């Protein structure tokens, strides 16, 4: 976007800073995110929320804001300045809401940028996996007393396996023949795993697993680290909503333990890293072991397989739907993502054969 447009939108927020420049951060599949540099002591993240995907953007932003406020309330020993470096802090507009909206156009929100921070697309050592596990564990532990009914369902049925299977079945009916032919070998995998991939959903529906505040997008790039790779916090809280901890744990492991990028075409590079799994699990359990039930703990491994599969199914479905949901850079981008996830399931099953 043009600098004048970004500056104009940025100046709708009550930041009391002077815009210098901006750059786009290309890490998300859905939204557009910009780093805004200012003359003041703080820089900012300016985010355009994709209202075609998120149907209730004011509710989504309220979820983010009240969750951050709850997290901040847990760090009583920190100053406001320290809190801004530990928890994602949202900026009000000059008219007081936490979002800016032009009629018939996009919604925007702004956050204080956490200086000297880094993210990772791929985990390269066990220490990062361990620190990331602690971050998710701390998030879930600190929000365990937060009434999740205060949150809206940002994307209804987001991790509902039955819903995703219905979407998949519909995509097969409407897909172009050429694309159907290219996914033929994966249709059998999807059919064979159908029962197992519904177990967690069924336990949730009968109340065997409690509903909690969950992040719902815990890929490794949504964990923020300092320059020494010590965990700071989880970011990109657009999908914070009620859920079960298995969604968060499984999706984190899905990205932490993939030895390659999510869209790596060379499947020989895609393996499940068992050492990273153990390191992440160690950090996660250090923060959550006293707040999780026995049944939640027992189903953590199945959560991993389920979430890898779910993403594979979603990428496959979007490919069959001619790439309507995820941003793609080339014609078979979603198919490559799907192949990648199914290969990861295969490797996971080899490394953890009893799960």
């Amino acid at each position: 976007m043009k600098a004048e447009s970004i500056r104009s939108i940025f100046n709708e927020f009550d930041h009391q800073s002077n815009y210098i420049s901006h750059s786009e951060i290309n890490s998300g599949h859905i939204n557009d995110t910009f780093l805004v540099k200012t003359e003041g002591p703080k820089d900012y993240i300016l985010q355009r929320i994709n209202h075609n995907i998120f149907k209730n953007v004011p509710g989504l932003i309220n979820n983010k804001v009240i969750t951050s406020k709850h997290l901040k309330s847990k760090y009583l020993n920190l100053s406001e300045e320290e809190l801004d470096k530990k928890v994602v802090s949202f900026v009000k507009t000059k008219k007081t809401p936490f979002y800016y909206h032009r009629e018939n156009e996009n919604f925007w929100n702004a956050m204080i940028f956490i200086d000297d921070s880094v993210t990772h697309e791929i985990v390269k050592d066990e220490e990062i996996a361990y620190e990331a596990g602690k971050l998710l564990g701390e998030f879930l532990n600190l929000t365990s007393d937060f009434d999740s009914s205060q949150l809206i369902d940002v994307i209804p049925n987001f991790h509902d396996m039955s819903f995703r299977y219905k979407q998949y079945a519909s995509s097969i009916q409407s897909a172009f023949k050429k694309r159907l032919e290219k996914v033929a070998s994966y249709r059998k995998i999807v059919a064979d795993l159908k029962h197992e991939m519904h177990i967690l959903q069924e336990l949730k529906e009968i109340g065997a697993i409690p509903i909690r505040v969950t992040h719902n997008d815990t890929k490794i790039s949504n964990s923020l680290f300092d320059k020494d790779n010590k965990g700071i916090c989880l970011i990109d809280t657009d999908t914070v909503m009620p859920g079960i901890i298995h969604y968060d744990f499984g999706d984190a492991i899905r990205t932490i333990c993939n030895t390659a990028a999510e869209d790596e075409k060379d499947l020989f590079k895609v393996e499940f890293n068992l050492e990273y799994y153990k390191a992440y699990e160690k950090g996660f359990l250090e923060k959550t072991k006293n707040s999780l039930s026995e049944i939640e703990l027992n189903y953590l491994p199945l959560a991993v397989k389920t979430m890898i599969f779910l993403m594979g199914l979603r990428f496959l479905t979007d490919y069959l739907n001619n790439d309507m949901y995820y941003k793609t850079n080339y014609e078979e981008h979603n198919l490559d993502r799907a192949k990648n996830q199914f290969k990861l399931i295969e490797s996971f099953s080899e490394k953890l054969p009893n799960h």
Side-chain angles (χ1 to χ4, degrees):
M1 291 183 67
K2 293 181 179 179
E4 306 85 58
S5 181
I6 289 291
R7 182 192 291 112
S8 172
I9 294 164
F10 177 63
N11 285 336
E12 293 290 334
F13 290 87
D14 189 19
H15 46 69
Q16 299 176 346
S17 301
N18 291 321
Y19 169 99
I20 294 178
S21 64
H22 76 272
S23 57
E24 186 167 6
I25 300 172
N26 296 309
S27 61
H29 290 308
I30 308 300
N31 298 321
D32 297 311
T33 306
F34 304 88
L35 171 61
V36 177
K37 294 284 189 177
T38 75
E39 291 178 354
K42 296 177 182 178
D43 295 322
Y44 295 84
I45 295 292
L46 187 65
Q47 184 182 50
R48 177 168 54 192
I49 306 293
N50 188 332
H51 60 273
N52 294 313
I53 301 298
F54 300 113
K55 302 304 182 183
N56 182 355
V57 179
L60 176 157
I61 292 173
N62 184 63
N63 279 7
K64 298 201 287 186
V65 171
I66 63 175
T67 300
S68 282
K69 285 182 177 178
H70 183 84
L71 290 169
K72 286 184 174 183
S73 74
K74 299 294 184 175
Y75 297 108
L76 297 175
N77 60 322
L78 299 183
S79 67
E80 185 175 345
E81 183 178 346
E82 289 170 325
L83 280 172
D84 288 342
K85 296 178 180 179
K86 179 63 181 172
V87 181
V88 176
S89 297
F90 294 90
V91 183
K92 290 183 178 180
T93 65
K94 292 173 181 176
K95 297 180 181 178
T96 73
F98 281 92
Y99 62 88
Y100 171 62
H101 179 226
R102 286 177 177 163
E103 190 174 357
N104 298 321
E105 291 189 26
N106 294 288
F107 288 82
W108 295 80
N109 69 159
M111 297 149 274
I112 297 173
F113 177 68
I114 298 177
D115 287 324
D116 298 320
S117 59
V118 296
T119 58
H120 300 282
E121 292 296 322
I122 299 174
V123 170
K124 295 182 179 178
D125 62 56
E126 292 175 31
E127 184 63 21
I128 293 175
Y130 170 71
E131 287 290 322
K134 288 201 296 182
L135 282 183
L136 175 59
E138 183 160 344
F139 176 88
L140 293 174
N141 192 46
L142 294 181
T143 58
S144 63
D145 61 343
F146 184 15
D147 180 7
S148 64
S149 68
Q150 295 182 54
L151 306 175
I152 68 159
D153 273 328
V154 177
I155 305 178
N157 302 311
F158 189 44
H159 289 136
D160 186 293
M161 191 65 75
S162 297
F163 176 73
R164 296 303 181 186
Y165 262 90
K166 287 176 183 176
Q167 286 186 315
Y168 164 73
S170 177
S171 72
I172 289 175
Q173 295 301 315
S174 60
F176 290 130
K177 183 179 179 182
K178 178 183 176 183
R179 292 202 171 197
L180 268 179
E181 290 172 349
K182 291 191 174 183
V183 305
S185 61
Y186 295 99
R187 291 178 64 180
K188 184 177 188 305
I189 296 173
V190 172
D192 289 346
L193 289 175
K194 187 172 184 178
H195 172 71
E196 185 182 10
M197 294 298 98
H198 279 80
I199 291 174
L200 286 175
Q201 180 179 318
E202 290 165 358
L203 290 170
K204 175 190 170 188
E205 288 172 351
I206 65 173
I209 297 175
I211 304 299
R212 301 176 182 268
V213 175
T214 46
H215 185 283
N216 296 293
D217 190 13
T218 51
K219 58 180 179 281
I220 185 57
S221 59
N222 284 338
S223 289
L224 197 65
F225 300 84
D226 65 20
K227 297 294 185 180
D228 296 319
N229 280 326
K230 299 300 180 184
I232 298 176
C233 65
L234 292 184
I235 58 173
D236 197 359
T237 51
D238 291 344
T239 51
V240 165
M241 56 184 164
I244 59 175
I245 61 103
H246 301 83
Y247 299 156
D248 281 354
F249 182 81
D251 200 33
I253 293 296
R254 180 183 72 83
T255 57
I256 298 277
C257 297
N258 192 339
T259 56
E262 190 177 71
D263 55 0
E264 173 59 58
K265 296 180 185 180
D266 184 355
L267 297 183
F268 286 105
K269 295 180 180 178
V270 178
E271 284 191 41
F272 185 83
N273 190 311
L274 189 58
E275 288 69 33
Y276 290 177
Y277 173 82
K278 291 177 179 177
Y280 188 93
E281 183 183 49
K282 179 183 177 183
F284 178 81
L285 292 177
E286 281 182 14
K287 297 291 185 178
T288 61
K289 61 184 177 184
N290 295 324
S291 59
L292 297 185
S293 67
E294 184 177 351
I295 193 168
E296 285 176 305
L297 292 169
N298 288 343
Y299 280 95
L300 289 178
L302 179 60
V304 177
K305 187 174 183 179
T306 301
M307 293 308 295
I308 299 172
F309 175 85
L310 187 65
M311 281 308 303
L313 186 65
R314 290 179 64 192
F315 286 140
L316 195 66
T317 299
D318 201 34
Y319 174 72
L320 292 172
N321 283 333
N322 293 317
D323 312 313
M324 295 172 59
Y325 188 85
Y326 293 111
K327 293 179 182 177
T328 55
N329 297 326
Y330 55 92
E331 184 176 349
E332 295 193 354
H333 201 168
N334 273 322
L335 179 57
D336 287 334
R337 288 167 172 154
K339 289 178 177 179
N340 185 300
Q341 297 302 292
F342 288 120
K343 172 62 190 305
L344 191 60
I345 289 177
E346 181 183 319
S347 181
F348 169 84
S349 299
E350 291 171 355
K351 300 287 179 70
L352 288 162
N354 296 322
H355 297 289

